[in-house]
Amino acid sequence: METVVSGIRSTGNLHLGNYYGAIQNFIKMQQEYNCYFFIADLHSLTTHPTPANLHGNVKQVLIEYLAAGIDPEKATIYIQSDVPEVAELYLYLNMNAYLGELERSTSFKDKVRAHPDNVNAGLLTYPVLMAADILIHKAVKVPVGKDQEQHLEMARTFGNRFNRLYNHEYFPEPYAFNYSQNLVKIPGLDGKGKMGKSEGEGNAVFLSDTPEAIRKKVMRAVTDSGPTGDNQAKPQEIQNLFDLMNVVSAADTLAHFDDLYNKCQIRYGDMKKQLAEDMIVATAPIRERIKDIANDAPYLRQVARHGAAKARESASRTIREVREIIGFRKF
């Protein structure tokens, strides 16, 4: 089976965007591919979490991965820092990554603008660590969003550069892979872009949110004063609500509110109440599993250790071969 690698940073709870935009596809992929799904706690160090927050966030993502349906018997779920070979490959790749190309990374430039007081070397070499995550398992398929495509291109660059430098066709070229032809993009509640953890507390609906929290967030979602003419185009903030409803609500519910909008009869309060209730129903099974798994410390420990062992089996083989190719020899 072909190898698929994907990771998510341990920077807080998973939200509807993570679930419908990525995890649902992971659940399908694990049936057909050799999947490695990791929790990127090393990547999260660029924002300097406290030790308690670091561990708590890793635990929460692990719980929610499992609750959402990723099966540790079918896929390898592991914590990035449990596989030290990743850091070793990161070191080797850094020796052949150049300042100019790293400074041209769009994500690096964005971070510099957003956080000029925290321009650390980890941010600069973030694409190299991401390349190590992918290349350590010699993955060929990587599920990524548009915002990560440049990082994937850099992973190909670093792998190919290693191959040329040591005259050895070792690393395969990884490429973007989307299991579904129609990628689901989940908008946030702030009326702007996609749902995300870093966009503010009210923007994202988390899988672990209580029904009360979901209702409160959805009722605060940005709207306008309503349509002024029949069948007029929906502004972004209103289209976002309809896009969310398209994901969690029944088709006839969506059609009902669309019809009301087109007739200038829509009441956004009613629509948001319905959307909130449909979100609560859609997330209820996951929310219950989150509670159960969170209280099962032995199971979490078993999953983490089992995943680390499986990931290290693959990673240690790669590092052993990479060291041989580079020329490290024991005396």
Side-chain angles (χ1 to χ4, degrees):
M1 292 192 293
E2 289 182 304
T3 297
V4 171
V5 168
S6 187
I8 189 165
R9 285 183 61 176
S10 53
T11 53
N13 302 75
L14 302 182
H15 52 70
L16 293 182
N18 299 132
Y19 181 70
Y20 289 106
I23 294 175
Q24 276 197 331
N25 275 338
F26 291 175
I27 294 166
K28 296 173 186 173
M29 290 175 200
Q30 67 186 1
Q31 310 293 336
E32 300 180 26
Y33 296 94
N34 177 32
C35 292
Y36 292 90
F37 299 130
F38 66 94
I39 301 167
D41 55 342
L42 295 178
H43 282 288
S44 74
L45 295 179
T46 59
T47 57
H48 310 138
T50 67
N53 285 343
L54 177 63
H55 179 74
N57 287 341
V58 169
K59 180 180 179 182
Q60 191 63 34
V61 174
L62 177 59
I63 290 167
E64 294 179 7
Y65 258 175
L66 296 167
I70 298 179
D71 186 344
E73 297 302 319
K74 295 177 180 176
T76 302
I77 307 173
Y78 67 97
I79 299 160
Q80 188 184 28
S81 61
D82 281 345
V83 183
E85 290 84 359
V86 172
E88 186 173 346
L89 183 58
Y90 172 47
L91 171 68
Y92 299 150
L93 296 176
N94 261 327
M95 300 304 179
N96 303 304
Y98 297 102
L99 181 62
E101 64 189 343
L102 295 174
E103 288 180 328
R104 286 193 297 272
S105 166
T106 302
S107 65
F108 176 67
K109 290 188 283 189
D110 290 344
K111 295 290 186 185
V112 170
R113 280 192 293 268
H115 306 284
D117 57 339
N118 183 33
V119 184
N120 57 68
L123 284 176
L124 181 68
T125 59
Y126 196 98
V128 188
L129 181 53
M130 184 173 170
D133 291 322
I134 296 164
L135 298 175
I136 197 73
H137 300 299
K138 303 178 78 172
V140 292
K141 293 186 172 181
V142 184
V144 292
K146 293 290 288 184
D147 58 337
Q148 294 289 327
E149 284 184 352
Q150 186 183 31
H151 284 168
L152 186 56
E153 178 63 37
M154 293 175 84
R156 284 192 290 272
T157 296
F158 299 143
N160 287 334
R161 187 174 293 158
F162 178 93
N163 293 348
R164 288 195 306 273
L165 182 64
Y166 295 106
N167 195 28
H168 199 295
E169 288 301 312
Y170 183 70
F171 289 119
E173 282 199 346
Y175 59 90
F177 168 62
N178 297 311
Y179 193 87
S180 171
Q181 292 302 310
N182 300 312
L183 285 182
V184 180
K185 294 181 180 178
I186 306 299
L189 296 172
D190 60 0
K192 298 174 186 175
K194 68 178 184 178
M195 188 171 287
K197 289 177 267 190
S198 60
E199 307 303 323
E201 173 61 27
N203 179 58
V205 174
F206 298 113
L207 300 181
S208 59
D209 274 346
T210 63
E212 293 75 19
I214 293 174
R215 291 188 187 103
K216 187 178 293 186
K217 287 181 179 180
V218 175
M219 293 310 292
R220 289 177 178 168
V222 176
T223 54
D224 62 8
S225 57
T228 56
D230 289 356
N231 301 309
Q232 74 177 48
K234 300 180 181 75
Q236 183 66 58
E237 63 269 22
I238 304 306
Q239 186 60 53
N240 284 356
L241 293 180
F242 277 91
D243 288 346
L244 286 166
M245 186 166 268
N246 186 47
V247 173
V248 299
S249 305
D252 57 347
T253 300
L254 177 65
H256 168 71
F257 285 102
D258 194 47
D259 186 54
L260 289 176
Y261 184 89
N262 290 331
K263 293 178 179 177
C264 295
Q265 297 173 357
I266 193 162
R267 291 159 57 97
Y268 290 135
D270 292 341
M271 181 184 181
K272 289 198 281 189
K273 285 177 184 175
Q274 183 65 54
L275 177 59
E277 295 311 309
D278 291 343
M279 283 182 176
I280 290 165
V281 170
T283 55
I286 299 174
R287 193 160 46 248
E288 289 306 310
R289 288 197 294 272
I290 287 172
K291 290 179 186 174
D292 291 341
I293 294 170
N295 292 321
D296 194 346
Y299 175 62
L300 287 172
R301 194 177 306 115
Q302 174 194 337
V303 168
R305 289 178 178 176
H306 179 61
K310 286 172 67 179
R312 289 202 71 183
E313 183 180 350
S314 165
S316 61
R317 181 169 56 250
T318 299
I319 285 297
R320 187 168 59 249
E321 292 168 352
V322 163
R323 288 175 65 90
E324 180 74 19
I325 291 167
I326 291 173
F328 291 112
R329 302 283 192 275
K330 291 189 181 300
F331 285 93

